[in-house]
């Protein structure tokens, strides 16, 4: 009986550890990625070391994202762009985002076609499907470590506090 319980516990532990590898946790290194902003400027996350990186994953169809955008814009204006860079990553293409931005100002550096980055940062559910709410926020410190993550409605205050702690 003890052997069966031990095997069960070992199997459970392996399943949990395999599941947890998909989740980007606070205190761990941010997964590296490269991309191009909406204006075509290429960048790599590792090249942004030395600055705080604030990432929001969003969609033009997300009502919460639309509601939070003015608060995020105000936040982006308060920080020195030499110390903090704001990235808005979307799985949508340039055309769709450009149409949205005609009537909706977004002061972040927009990164379209970011499905590959979503794959790196999204959690997975028990069926191994992507599990990421929109908007989702990640704050990465100057050394490339994730220091904050959150998602959903009205998360701008904790996000702002996390940024403030890093740029003292």
């Amino acid at each position: 009986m003890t052997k069966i319980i031990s095997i069960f516990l070992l199997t459970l532990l392996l399943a949990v550890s395999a599941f947890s590898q998909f989740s980007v946790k606070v205190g761990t290194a941010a997964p590296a990625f490269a991309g191009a902003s909406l204006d075509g400027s290429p960048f790599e996350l590792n090249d942004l070391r030395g600055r705080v990186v604030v990432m929001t994953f969003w969609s033009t169809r997300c009502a919460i994202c639309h509601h939070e955008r003015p608060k995020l814009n105000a936040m982006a204006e308060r920080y020195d762009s030499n110390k903090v860079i704001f990235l808005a990553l979307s799985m949508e293409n340039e055309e769709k985002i450009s149409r949205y931005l005609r009537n909706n100002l977004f002061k972040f550096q927009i990164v379209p076609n970011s499905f590959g980055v979503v794959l790196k940062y999204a959690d997975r559910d028990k069926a191994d499907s992507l599990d990421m709410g929109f908007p989702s926020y990640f704050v990465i410190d100057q050394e490339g470590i994730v220091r904050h993550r959150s998602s959903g409605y009205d998360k701008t205050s904790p996000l702002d506090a996390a940024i403030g702690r890093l740029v003292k």
Side-chain angles (χ1 to χ4, degrees), residues 20-67:
S20 67
Q21 72 181 341
F22 294 109
S23 178
V24 175
K25 293 179 176 38
V26 171
T28 63
F33 66 91
S37 63
L38 192 58
D39 68 5
S41 302
F43 69 90
E44 291 187 30
L45 181 62
N46 289 336
D47 292 342
L48 302 176
R49 293 253 171 111
R51 294 162 72 181
V52 173
V53 178
V54 179
M55 299 184 343
T56 181
F57 291 90
W58 69 290
S59 168
T60 61
R61 296 168 289 171
C62 168
I64 296 171
C65 300
H66 187 74
H67 181 268

Side-chain angles (χ1 to χ4, degrees), residues 68 71-72 75 137 152-161:
E68 298 293 300
K71 293 186 243 177
L72 294 169
M75 188 184 316
Y137 305 106
Y153 178 75
D154 201 24
K155 302 295 190 226
T156 53
S157 290
L159 179 65
D160 196 14

Side-chain angles (χ1 to χ4, degrees), residues 32-147:
F33 66 91
S37 63
L38 192 58
D39 68 5
S41 302
F43 69 90
E44 291 187 30
L45 181 62
N46 289 336
D47 292 342
L48 302 176
R49 293 253 171 111
R51 294 162 72 181
V52 173
V53 178
V54 179
M55 299 184 343
T56 181
F57 291 90
W58 69 290
S59 168
T60 61
R61 296 168 289 171
C62 168
I64 296 171
C65 300
H66 187 74
H67 181 268
E68 298 293 300
R69 188 180 36 75
K71 293 186 243 177
L72 294 169
N73 284 339
M75 188 184 316
E77 286 182 333
R78 284 196 307 274
Y79 290 99
D80 179 348
S81 62
N82 292 315
K83 294 180 179 179
V84 183
I85 184 164
F86 290 85
L87 302 176
L89 297 105
S90 176
M91 293 184 288
E92 296 165 317
N93 65 34
E94 296 90 341
E95 182 181 331
K96 188 165 194 162
I97 292 171
S98 292
R99 278 195 313 260
Y100 176 81
L101 293 175
R102 285 184 200 129
N103 298 317
N104 302 284
L105 178 65
F106 209 147
K107 297 198 176 194
F108 282 40
Q109 186 174 345
I110 308 294
V111 184
N113 304 311
S114 295
F115 183 69
V117 183
V118 170
L119 289 174
K120 291 182 176 197
Y121 282 80
D123 291 332
R124 303 284 179 132
D125 65 15
K126 291 178 183 175
D128 202 32
S129 298
L130 292 178
D131 183 15
M132 178 180 268
F134 287 103
S136 283
Y137 305 106
F138 292 82
V139 177
I140 302 166
D141 72 11
Q142 296 89 333
E143 302 301 318
I145 304 299
V146 176
R147 295 298 174 193

